[in-house]
Amino acid sequence: MKQRTWSLVVILGICLISSGCRGNMELNDLHLVHSIAIDEGSKGLIKLTAEIAELTPTGQQPKGMHNGTFFLSVEGNSLFEAARLMRAKSDRTLLWGHTTVILFSKAAAKNGINKHIEALRRLKQFRNSTLLYVTDGHAFEVLRVSKPNGPIFSQVLRGLSQGEKSTAFTQQTSLIDVYKELVNRTHDLTIPALQVVKNPIQSKKQQLQAMGLYAFQGERLIGLMSTTETKGYLRALNKMESSVETLTCGPNQTITFENINNKSLIKPIVDANLKPKTHIDIYATLNITGYECKGAQINPEIILELEKKLNKAIASDVQQYIRYSQKHKVDLLGIGEKIHRSYPKYWKKMQASWDDIYAASQFTVTAHCRIDHTNFIFEIEPSVG
């Protein structure tokens, strides 16, 4: 019995060795898609642009697998159709599974992104972790902006998105994040803004920066949040750890704080007249990392005063975000869902006109800041004998 089993194993091994890569694609038959741009096309069509890296067998060039990038653009009645038509323009099979960035133009996003997200899901090769961005102007032109740190656009965007925690000016948003919100509708969604700006060192050149968030009402883009509104939103959403806060203490003088911990408690209350009142408590722990105030010493009294200023500044950021969200009727914090869970009977009467109710509802914000580990030596008051 053992001899028979070993014979089968040997025969199977010989078959696998002799079959080689039969049934699989060779490297010379593939193009890797790294980034795609989605724009409005002509006559109501959808324009799809792909940044493609050509694969070459190992050893044929110093860089190994990548032989630079090039672009292909196709228009179709849908994103799914455009992706299929693009194959006719390529001399190799397109591999979509390595796409790490999807860039929407503002114009395309205003018309709704649900149909595009559904098309990407039908292609199946797209990873759930693929990052999404929205840009003003034409998305396909942004793909061609010079990239100082590497030849591939998606690598630049992934690096920019990693600054979300230290700056709080943006937030990573993946394909699965957007898909879940479009399906569950627990709250409106945001997608990071990608901007093209002048290079501060070489003014004739352009560079990319990820800053601010585009707010969506359902699937349709409504508008861009400023950096202050974005910080207030992320603060209320419990996504502000490791970011930086600053206070001024004179001309060109600042105090810098690092967020160590952040917690937000959102509690909506609905009365019998179906008028909601929402209170937001923000709890934050910060460290002083930079102190440029001339002639001032750090002591317990100074710390207490700084905590008061931080409470006021942080509450102001959150309130500015709330004003933005009410003006544009976008419920990004999921206040409606919280009311649905706590007041299901009231919610049935409110749901149909929730956008208008949200815009007119009352909000209050209270910040509770604490400064720990100042990294400075306290001034010691002399004792009186």
Side-chain angles (χ1 to χ4, degrees):
M1 185 66 179
K2 290 183 179 180
Q3 185 177 2
R4 192 174 184 181
T5 302
W6 276 109
S7 299
L8 290 172
V9 171
V10 172
I11 293 172
L12 179 60
I14 293 173
C15 291
L16 289 174
I17 293 171
S18 62
S19 64
C21 293
R22 189 174 299 171
N24 296 320
M25 301 295 292
E26 297 285 351
L27 291 180
N28 290 333
D29 298 324
L30 294 174
H31 279 322
L32 288 184
V33 179
H34 279 276
S35 312
I36 65 171
I38 301 170
D39 290 280
E40 285 188 312
S42 58
K43 299 180 181 180
L45 298 178
I46 299 299
K47 182 174 183 177
L48 172 65
T49 303
E51 181 196 30
I52 299 168
E54 183 178 354
L55 285 177
T56 56
T58 304
Q60 289 191 11
Q61 60 161 342
K63 293 183 180 180
M65 300 291 285
H66 292 128
N67 190 26
T69 63
F70 63 96
F71 301 91
L72 289 178
S73 291
V74 174
E75 293 189 1
N77 290 306
S78 67
L79 190 62
F80 187 78
E81 181 181 84
R84 292 299 180 92
L85 292 174
M86 189 174 285
R87 178 63 182 90
K89 281 193 171 185
S90 174
D91 61 339
R92 302 184 184 186
T93 298
L94 298 176
L95 188 61
W96 301 89
H98 284 261
T99 304
T100 55
V101 171
I102 300 168
L103 181 60
F104 287 94
S105 70
K106 180 179 176 181
K110 276 189 172 182
N111 289 327
I113 62 172
N114 190 49
K115 60 185 177 183
H116 303 314
I117 299 299
E118 289 292 343
L120 294 171
R121 299 286 294 180
R122 285 200 298 274
L123 284 171
K124 295 183 180 180
Q125 291 184 27
F126 279 85
R127 299 173 180 176
N128 288 333
S129 59
T130 303
L131 299 178
L132 272 65
Y133 288 87
V134 174
T135 187
D136 202 358
H138 297 297
F140 71 89
E141 292 179 347
V142 175
L143 285 187
R144 300 174 183 270
V145 173
S146 61
K147 298 164 273 292
N149 297 323
I152 300 178
F153 178 86
S154 61
Q155 292 177 350
V156 176
L157 261 292
R158 185 167 289 278
L160 287 176
S161 68
Q162 290 173 352
E164 61 163 340
K165 292 184 178 180
S166 58
T167 65
F169 291 153
T170 188
Q171 175 188 355
Q172 276 196 356
T173 301
S174 67
L175 179 60
I176 192 62
D177 293 332
V178 173
Y179 179 73
K180 287 192 298 186
E181 292 307 328
L182 290 175
V183 171
N184 298 329
R185 291 301 304 270
T186 56
H187 53 74
D188 290 317
L189 61 90
T190 61
I191 296 180
L194 182 64
Q195 302 169 359
V196 180
V197 297
K198 288 185 179 180
N199 189 311
I201 299 175
Q202 298 173 304
S203 58
K204 293 183 179 180
K205 291 188 177 183
Q206 296 177 317
Q207 67 180 33
L208 302 173
Q209 70 176 17
M211 186 173 291
L213 296 171
Y214 277 104
F216 286 70
Q217 186 183 68
E219 64 160 333
R220 298 183 184 279
L221 183 147
I222 297 299
L224 177 65
M225 291 196 291
S226 69
T227 53
T228 301
E229 291 156 352
T230 299
K231 286 186 69 174
Y233 163 64
L234 294 177
R235 177 73 72 178
L237 203 63
N238 282 332
K239 293 189 176 181
M240 283 290 286
E241 289 187 17
S242 300
S243 61
V244 172
E245 293 286 344
T246 58
L247 294 176
T248 59
C249 56
N252 300 319
Q253 299 176 50
T254 59
I255 311 171
T256 308
F257 304 86
E258 180 185 9
N259 283 274
I260 302 303
N261 189 27
N262 182 79
K263 183 178 181 181
S264 171
L265 298 178
I266 303 174
K267 186 176 181 180
I269 299 173
V270 181
D271 61 23
N273 295 319
L274 305 183
K275 293 184 178 181
K277 297 180 181 179
T278 303
H279 183 71
I280 302 177
D281 278 304
I282 304 292
Y283 297 88
T285 304
L286 305 98
N287 285 352
I288 298 179
T289 56
Y291 195 78
E292 302 174 0
C293 306
K294 296 180 180 179
Q297 297 292 328
I298 297 181
N299 54 43
E301 289 74 20
I302 293 294
I303 293 296
L304 182 62
E305 188 63 29
L306 291 177
E307 289 176 343
K308 291 179 180 179
K309 290 182 178 181
L310 283 170
N311 287 338
K312 184 177 180 180
I314 287 174
S316 177
D317 288 349
V318 177
Q319 287 165 346
Q320 186 168 331
Y321 153 71
I322 291 170
R323 287 193 293 271
Y324 174 91
S325 69
Q326 290 189 298
K327 177 182 177 181
H328 295 282
K329 300 180 180 181
V330 286
D331 181 10
L332 304 176
L333 297 178
I335 305 299
E337 176 63 18
K338 289 178 172 59
I339 292 174
H340 181 200
R341 293 179 180 180
S342 301
Y343 305 90
K345 292 183 179 179
Y346 286 170
W347 178 248
K348 289 181 180 180
K349 300 176 182 179
M350 301 168 66
Q351 185 174 6
S353 53
W354 172 241
D355 292 342
D356 293 326
I357 293 174
Y358 175 81
S361 63
Q362 296 183 25
F363 279 86
T364 55
V365 181
T366 304
H368 313 269
C369 291
R370 188 181 71 196
I371 298 175
D372 286 344
H373 307 295
T374 63
N375 297 323
F376 292 87
I377 299 175
F378 283 114
E379 179 187 18
I380 305 299
E381 297 289 343
S383 60
V384 178

